[in-house]
Amino acid sequence: LVSCIVPCFNGERYLEECIRSILAQSHRPLEVIVVDDGSTDGSAEVVRRFGSAVRYHRQENGGPAAACNTGILLAAGEYVAFLEQDDLWVQEKTRRQLRELEADPSLDYCVGHIRNFWVPELAAEAERWRNHPAMRPVPGYVAQTLLARRSVFDRVGPFDPALRFACATDWFLRAAEAGASGRLIPDIVTHRRLHGDNFSRRNRAASREQFLHVVKAMLDRRREDRPA
């Protein structure tokens, strides 16, 4: 069983398409859990239309990391994965990554590549970026490409709810420090939608500052661990 966790906050515009990309996975069985992080729009109604195929849990707003952590606690699967409310999985994502994990019991997690795509309303922006490296698939050390054994969270710990932007970066750094074994596969496994309301777009300065904070914290931990 793979538990697929969707942290959601006011995501009704793209949430249905996101969930359909999970339910279209070639791997079965799947458990889909939407953790509604205090939405004030119609996100709950979108989920209800899927009936028993999707579990719904609502909590007070605590940020994406807190929603992911709740999903991990609710998950029944041996493996867990995550998808943001406006992104999409390719159909073979879970099957391809699960094959890696089942073939190598020493692996704790697997990530793949991610490709950006723009909504039609931002066609002009997409054209400006047409020849930019951001248009090409990039290694996806982000939650929405991750497939992990649930047990690795017992070793590494959950996502840090104090981090609203860099919680995945922080988790991957801590996973490396804890000796967790990961593998990057060359496949594109996730399509990241770029639109006018992307959380990181609306909070670009705070996002950069938090990434720098996470990297500094990692370097500080390394210095502390060095023998005197």
Side-chain angles (χ1 to χ4, degrees):
L1 178 65
V2 176
S3 296
C4 310
I5 299 160
V6 180
C8 173
F9 176 71
N10 290 345
E12 68 173 324
R13 183 176 182 185
Y14 303 116
L15 183 58
E16 179 175 351
E17 193 177 356
C18 163
I19 294 172
R20 290 196 183 282
S21 79
I22 299 174
L23 295 176
Q25 292 296 295
S26 56
H27 169 76
R28 288 290 187 271
L30 292 173
E31 175 187 48
V32 185
I33 305 171
V34 173
V35 180
D36 187 337
D37 194 42
S39 294
T40 58
D41 66 355
S43 295
E45 179 55 35
V46 172
V47 178
R48 276 195 288 269
R49 292 201 292 266
F50 287 94
S52 61
V54 179
R55 293 177 61 189
Y56 175 80
H57 177 86
R58 182 179 174 85
Q59 64 182 28
E60 292 186 8
N61 182 261
C68 287
N69 292 339
T70 296
I72 295 169
L73 293 174
L74 295 172
E78 179 185 355
Y79 301 93
V80 293
F82 307 88
L83 184 59
E84 293 190 2
Q85 63 194 22
D86 38 15
D87 295 340
L88 304 171
W89 279 350
V90 302
Q91 190 174 26
E92 292 294 314
K93 178 197 187 291
T94 50
R95 182 186 293 277
R96 177 69 181 86
Q97 293 179 289
L98 195 58
R99 188 162 63 227
E100 297 288 329
L101 289 165
E102 293 191 330
D104 186 350
S106 71
L107 279 180
D108 294 300
Y109 68 86
C110 178
V111 293
H113 282 64
I114 190 167
R115 171 177 276 165
N116 293 326
F117 73 101
W118 276 258
V119 296
E121 299 93 316
L122 295 180
E125 179 178 295
E127 179 60 25
R128 289 197 304 271
W129 285 71
R130 185 160 57 91
N131 297 315
H132 191 276
M135 294 294 286
R136 297 193 290 269
V138 295
Y141 284 92
V142 291
Q144 57 265 49
T145 75
L146 176 66
L147 181 66
R149 300 185 197 276
R150 188 177 174 186
S151 58
V152 74
F153 288 93
D154 295 330
R155 293 166 51 199
V156 177
F159 296 104
D160 185 346
L163 300 173
R164 295 223 166 203
F165 304 100
C167 59
T169 301
D170 171 72
W171 188 87
F172 281 109
L173 291 173
R174 287 189 287 114
E177 293 169 8
S181 174
R183 178 172 297 164
L184 170 69
I185 60 174
D187 310 56
I188 297 169
V189 297
T190 304
H191 295 290
R192 177 167 49 198
R193 190 191 313 261
L194 300 181
H195 55 87
D197 291 325
N198 287 119
F199 191 50
S200 57
R201 180 193 293 267
R202 290 186 288 108
N203 301 274
R204 192 165 290 156
S207 176
R208 285 196 299 266
E209 182 178 344
Q210 198 163 97
F211 276 104
L212 291 173
H213 169 77
V214 165
V215 173
K216 181 181 182 301
M218 179 268 292
L219 294 173
D220 289 343
R221 289 194 299 270
R222 287 185 177 179
R223 282 193 289 268
E224 290 172 0
D225 291 340
R226 286 177 186 165

